[in-house]
């Protein structure tokens, strides 16, 4: 599976859009991009995933560049409850390959 | 909402004890997973199961075993607990073999003394 690179930490003001970048320059054509987050003292929570088109759900939007070498998770109106570690993971969709969890980005939403 | 329930939030056990961590999911998911999470090491997969009575080793199976007798229940067993197994243990389930839609439990913080 391709490796991902994320910033260690980021701040965002409450009510503003939080934009979390992820680099995956070695991604292959059949690998999807997945985003999870982990709020303190809880298990990780699935957010969104995509292959090459931009995706949006009730939690977030996922923007994948045309060359698919990077992506951005957007939380449109961040709240204090969005403070968490955000993980970007790349892997083949339908396989027995496990998810490889990196260190993620610690996002702190400030009032 | 899918719920994954882990039997204990906190657990303290003695070295050498046999420890059972239970996990139950209520959405008929085929796939279940056990991870441990340690500071600086992230989440590491211990065992997973894609079907009843089926199990596969993850990255760090040594010192652990699992049992899946029913679809909804996946148990992690520490045969002889050791202090280096002190950790946060997380159970997860998913409907597909893809990487999306994993649902995690709240975790069991196990301390081995």
């Amino acid at each position: 599976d391709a490796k991902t690179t994320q910033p260690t930490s980021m701040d965002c003001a409450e009510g503003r859009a939080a934009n979390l970048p992820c680099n995956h320059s070695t991604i292959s054509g059949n690998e999807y991009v997945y985003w999870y987050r982990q709020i303190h003292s809880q298990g990780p929570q699935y957010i969104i995933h995509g292959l090459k088109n931009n995706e949006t759900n009730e939690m977030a939007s996922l923007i994948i560049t045309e060359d698919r070498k990077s992506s951005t998770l957007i939380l449109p109106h961040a709240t204090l409850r969005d403070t968490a570690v955000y993980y970007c993971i790349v892997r083949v969709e339908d396989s027995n390959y496990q998810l490889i969890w990196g260190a993620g980005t610690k996002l702190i939403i400030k009032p | 909402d899918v719920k994954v329930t882990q039997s204990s939030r906190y657990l303290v056990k003695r070295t050498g004890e046999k420890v059972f961590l239970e996990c139950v999911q209520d959405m008929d998911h085929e796939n279940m997973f056990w991870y441990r999470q340690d500071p600086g090491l992230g989440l590491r997969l211990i065992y997973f199961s894609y079907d009843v009575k089926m199990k596969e080793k993850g990255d760090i199976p040594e010192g652990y075993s699992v049992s899946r007798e029913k679809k909804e229940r996946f148990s992690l067993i520490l045969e002889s607990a050791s202090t280096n197994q002190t950790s946060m243990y997380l159970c997860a389930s998913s409907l597909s073999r893809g990487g999306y839609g994993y649902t995690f439990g709240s975790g069991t913080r196990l301390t081995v003394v």
Side-chain angles (χ1 to χ4, degrees), chain A residues 15-35:
Chain A
R16 304 296 296 267
N19 297 280
L20 293 94
C22 180
N23 286 319
H24 31 78
S25 58
T26 60
I27 193 170
S28 60
N30 61 347
E31 287 183 311
Y32 283 68
V33 180
Y34 302 89
W35 283 85

Side-chain angles (χ1 to χ4, degrees), chain B residues 41-60:
Chain B
L41 296 177
L43 277 86
R44 294 179 292 166
L45 183 64
I46 305 172
Y47 268 96
F48 60 101
S49 169
Y50 286 140
D51 201 353
V52 174
K53 295 192 186 292
M54 176 272 180
K55 60 186 177 185
E56 292 283 349
K57 294 179 180 179
D59 286 336
I60 51 164

Side-chain angles (χ1 to χ4, degrees), chain B residues 23-33 49-54 67-75 91-95:
Chain B
C23 176
V24 178
Q25 51 96 1
D26 66 359
M27 283 299 289
D28 204 34
H29 281 181
E30 298 287 342
N31 313 306
M32 297 190 74
F33 309 84
S49 169
Y50 286 140
D51 201 353
V52 174
K53 295 192 186 292
M54 176 272 180
S67 172
R68 194 163 181 204
E69 296 295 321
K70 293 185 178 181
K71 192 175 186 180
E72 67 271 19
R73 187 180 297 270
F74 192 36
S75 302
C91 175
S93 72
S94 73
L95 182 60

